[in-house]
Amino acid sequence: MATIDFSQNRHTLLQNMVMDSVAIIPAASLKVRNRDAEFPFRQDSDFFYLSGFTEDGAVLVLRKTAEKSETLLFCQSKDKEMEIWTGFRLGPDAAVDALQIQGAFSIQEIDQKLPTLLADIQCVYALWGNDKEWDQKFIQAIERIKLKVRTGITAPTSMLALEPLLHEQRLIKSSAEISLMSQAAKTSAQAHIKAMELVKPGMFEYMLEGEIRHHCAMQGFRFDAYSSIVGSGENACILHYTHNDAQIKDGDLILIDAGCEVNHYASDITRTFPANGKFSPQQKALYQIVLDAQYAAIEQIKPGNHFNDPHEAALKVITQGLVELGLLTGEVDELIEKEAYKPFYMHKTGHWLGLDVHDVGAYKIKGEWRVFEAGMVLTAEPGIYVAVDEESVDKKWRGIGIRIEDDVLVTNTGHEVLSKDVPKSIDAIEALMSA
Ligand code: GLY
Ligand code: MN
Ligand code: MN
């Protein structure tokens, strides 16, 4: 597995921070599920990007002065008794070498040490507003310095959002990050193929969800990047459907939107296929429009084009297709202008992808759609959803939901589809399912 250079990530951030500043990034905290049971722990993506450290109960501090730039960690102390219950802790002593940082302390010391670390610092960068408890702690530390100004120390004078620096950095992926994302996409692609091979009318949606998780776990990747969507029949029209508990019927289309994480990096793939292995004429007609829209969108992903170009291309193909099939009537340009496609296509054609499935990074710069650069990764995911109660169209179209989603890397010369291993043409899907 590719190794992320976390030191380099910190180095770049420190370079971009203003002089005499501190950046504070807390780890994620454990969330209670019910009584003594907790949700599986997932490290905060910003914290992980800068440390690679996967424990809870920790805070990272990056400090830049004219004298030196340094990274300090507050983490849980070693505790033999607690480690019997909750597992190994790295502890501050071992953390310095393991994470290649300049100092580490027990998390118990943070209230006492934070004012010292912020003394004579001008600017505090944090993810303000993310976690009110931490905001409060940082502000209290600043207040404690203010009480001591008569001793000659100065308190920070500005509080800046860390997002513009850190999230712009995260938007452009390194070769190691691309390699992990490619591995995630390849693994998830194989899982989607498994689902197509295994499905039979009469199965329940959660069985396919289970197959996908099983396949990824058997490759060593236990965590989903998000809750899997397995929607059969009209459930495919529910954009964030996660009940996954319906029985699959003969004649249904099944929409699966699922992807695993590889070392915290996400994949996000959707395929839609017929439960019985054969698309009906209506399913085929709508599917081909979505597929053509996706090809048109992917074609637009290249350096120099802007983020909304794929969406605009997809809208043209979808609106044109819906007119040809009689689901919309009028001039294509006018229908797009009036957003007449919205009852059938109500989401955007993609989003950034990275450590988070809906990854960080601005979509617009000074009000203008941002221009693609090599190293960005995004999804291309057009769809058509005809609700069961959509009375404006003939009954034969109702209850059909289709989305096709791939993960696309912007390269120097164009793009690379990281999730290309899973088939998406009608012929290729029907051939795979009949094999
Ligand atoms: N799986 C979430 C999305 O496609 O955006
Ligand atoms: Mn997506
Ligand atoms: Mn998705």
Side-chain angles (χ1 to χ4, degrees), residues 45 47 70 79 81 89 91 95 120-121 126 142-143 156 200 212 220 256 261 267 272 284 324 345 349 404:
S45 296
F47 184 92
E70 58 180 357
D79 182 331
E81 204 177 319
R89 290 178 182 179
D120 296 327
I121 285 295
I142 295 170
E143 282 167 352
K200 289 218 167 21
I212 287 186
I256 300 188
E261 275 186 0
S267 56
T272 309
K284 215 178 233 186
E324 281 165 15
Y345 184 35
T349 301
I404 306 171

Side-chain angles (χ1 to χ4, degrees), residues 146-174:
K146 283 185 180 166
L147 293 175
K148 291 195 196 154
V149 286
R150 276 182 295 278
T151 66
I153 58 172
T154 57
T157 51
S158 59
M159 291 149 73
L160 288 182
L162 183 59
E163 285 91 336
L165 292 190
L166 182 54
H167 292 178
E168 286 302 292
Q169 196 179 318
R170 276 178 54 190
L171 179 58
I172 308 293
K173 274 67 183 174
S174 67

Side-chain angles (χ1 to χ4, degrees), residues 243-356:
H243 290 296
N244 301 353
D245 58 358
Q247 192 165 22
I248 296 166
K249 298 186 294 297
D250 197 3
D252 278 351
L253 278 185
I254 302 161
L255 183 156
I256 300 188
D257 184 345
C260 68
E261 275 186 0
V262 169
N263 198 14
H264 298 71
Y265 282 84
S267 56
D268 182 7
I269 303 178
T270 307
R271 287 294 184 269
T272 309
F273 51 92
N276 61 17
K278 273 270 176 215
F279 287 88
S280 74
Q282 287 75 31
Q283 292 168 350
K284 215 178 233 186
L286 290 176
Y287 186 93
Q288 193 59 48
I289 298 172
V290 178
L291 184 60
D292 291 343
Q294 206 226 16
Y295 282 133
I298 292 175
E299 216 32 58
Q300 293 298 318
I301 301 177
K302 54 184 166 196
N305 275 9
H306 64 66
F307 179 79
N308 213 38
D309 283 332
H311 185 55
E312 286 168 13
L315 281 184
K316 264 201 189 120
V317 177
I318 286 175
T319 308
Q320 173 85 42
L322 292 175
V323 168
E324 281 165 15
L325 294 182
L327 281 85
L328 287 177
T329 10
E331 283 295 316
V332 172
D333 289 345
E334 225 171 90
L335 291 169
I336 292 175
E337 178 78 26
K338 286 195 306 201
E339 300 188 335
Y341 52 83
K342 277 238 165 121
F344 308 107
Y345 184 35
M346 55 298 276
H347 59 77
K348 294 285 275 184
T349 301
H351 51 79
W352 304 129
L353 185 70
L355 279 166
D356 295 309

